[in-house]
Amino acid sequence: MTPEIYLSSPHLGERELQYVQEAFSSNWIAPLGPHVDGFEQDLCATTGASYAAALSSGTAALHLALVLLGVSSGDEVMCQSFTFAASANPILYQGATPIFIDSETTTWNICPDTLETALKDRIARGKRPKAVIVVHLYGMPARMAEILDICQRYEIPLIEDAAEALGSAYQGKPCGTLGKLAVLSFNGNKIITTSGGGALLSNDEALIKKARFLATQARDPAPHYEHSVVGYNYRMSNVCAAIGRGQLAVLETRVAQRRANFERYVKRLKPLPGVDFQPEPDGFFSNRWLSCITVDPELSDGVTREDIRLALAEQRIEARPLWKPMHQQPVFARAPFYGSSVSERLFENGLCIPSGSNLTTGQLNKIMACIEETFSLPQDQRLPSQTA
Ligand SMILES: *Cc1c(COP(=O)(O)O)cnc(C)c1O
């Protein structure tokens, strides 16, 4: 199926083309260049982070974060289980072991109590984890005060995976400025895009300088090519950064548009039996990158998120189950997991619905009408579920 309405499609503003034309007319098509420097400055200005390195992807940024923290073969890294695989894959790139932690229900992100239990247990077993990776899922900040307190007490550096959370804030502080290092993504489906790209943020200048060094093949100062450590080709190109500068200029509008989508969904769909939404506790501000609903089959007269997904697909409307937890993924089958079934239940009952900042009122109404209709159909007239 080619969707007619996508989950989250790129949304261009007015300045991207002008910046890209600048890159072309100055023949600065190579990696690095004035737009990369400018984009890094713009990222710092937008988030309040002191330093930023623009990179080829969010995944590359996470990988470099682990390298910078000295994560290597045999180490352990704590990671939120309820996330996209890119949060955890770089742990495997380094030959380390992810220790997955369940979520809590007020933000859907890492549970501080479970994190502390797990840390105590790993330390008691003789292994002090090298880092904790927290994710602000779908744009919702995690419970940062509790998480930072734990990381400080156990002296373990915190990496914020803010790939989905540019424009979000916790107690007034932007996501991406709360940990030792933070990761952003500008992939095509994110709240802003460079067509593909990412960034590493920190208040520690030495870390970001080293990130830039590692991301450009780790060339030691010498007239020839001299290398004393392993390098990577992870820098962002000047053309991508040009797009990013145009996109960043409209970030605030994009956040407002996504939050408006969410409000409309809540207003019309929350009255449906068993339907609920990702909460936003006081002091938390989500960019509402994706609007997510949960459907409790015990309250919904048997309607499941799969009934809704299939009904939407029938009308060429893209929707996707919430992230399948990493501890349930075959690739991570051997990784330890701490927690209960919070993330598993969210995966079973949750659905991301179209959330783009460029959705029209007509499209939103079509989506909501389709979901409402699923609830009014008798059970035997709903589309067969995937198990049937
Ligand atoms: C998108 C995403 C990433 C990876 O970013 P890329 O730029 O696609 O490599 C990492 N973590 C989360 C939570 C993401 O959503």
Side-chain angles (χ1 to χ4, degrees), residues 139-141 165-175 178 280 283-287:
M140 184 61 63
L166 181 59
S168 300
Y170 172 81
Q171 310 288 2
K173 292 183 202 127
C175 289
L178 303 159
E280 187 180 54
F284 291 62
F285 179 85
S286 171
N287 64 11

Side-chain angles (χ1 to χ4, degrees), residues 293-351:
I293 62 170
T294 54
V295 185
D296 182 345
E298 284 181 13
L299 303 173
S300 64
D301 189 25
V303 176
T304 65
R305 72 112 156 95
E306 205 46 21
D307 294 329
I308 298 174
R309 191 185 68 80
L310 291 167
L312 289 168
E314 187 77 359
Q315 300 202 28
R316 294 175 55 209
I317 299 168
E318 189 180 31
R320 192 172 298 135
L322 299 187
W323 299 121
K324 180 173 179 178
M326 292 305 111
H327 71 275
Q328 293 186 303
Q329 299 283 2
V331 66
F332 296 117
R334 294 202 317 228
F337 168 72
Y338 291 81
S340 57
S341 55
V342 174
S343 54
E344 286 172 33
R345 252 183 291 118
L346 285 167
F347 168 58
E348 271 165 33
N349 296 335
L351 191 69

Side-chain angles (χ1 to χ4, degrees), residues 57-59 62 83-84 86-87 135 161 163-164 185-187 190 197 323:
S57 71
T59 310
L62 270 156
T83 186
F84 178 44
S87 303
V135 189
D161 180 347
E164 302 176 359
S185 166
F186 313 111
N187 199 28
K190 298 286 157 61
W323 299 121

Side-chain angles (χ1 to χ4, degrees), residues 76 118-128 336 338:
E76 293 186 348
L119 276 172
K120 278 187 185 148
D121 189 54
R122 299 323 289 180
I123 292 167
R125 287 162 187 259
K127 268 246 162 93
R128 173 173 290 269
Y338 291 81

Side-chain angles (χ1 to χ4, degrees), residues 300-304 307 374-375 377-385:
S300 64
D301 189 25
V303 176
T304 65
D307 294 329
T374 315
F375 280 81
L377 281 179
Q379 204 147 14
D380 59 355
Q381 283 176 37
R382 287 175 207 147
L383 288 161
S385 84

Side-chain angles (χ1 to χ4, degrees), residues 17-29 35 238-239:
L17 205 50
Q18 179 203 325
Y19 285 130
V20 171
Q21 258 155 4
E22 262 172 51
F24 273 69
S25 48
S26 61
N27 197 31
W28 225 310
I29 311 302
H35 281 310
N238 198 49
V239 177

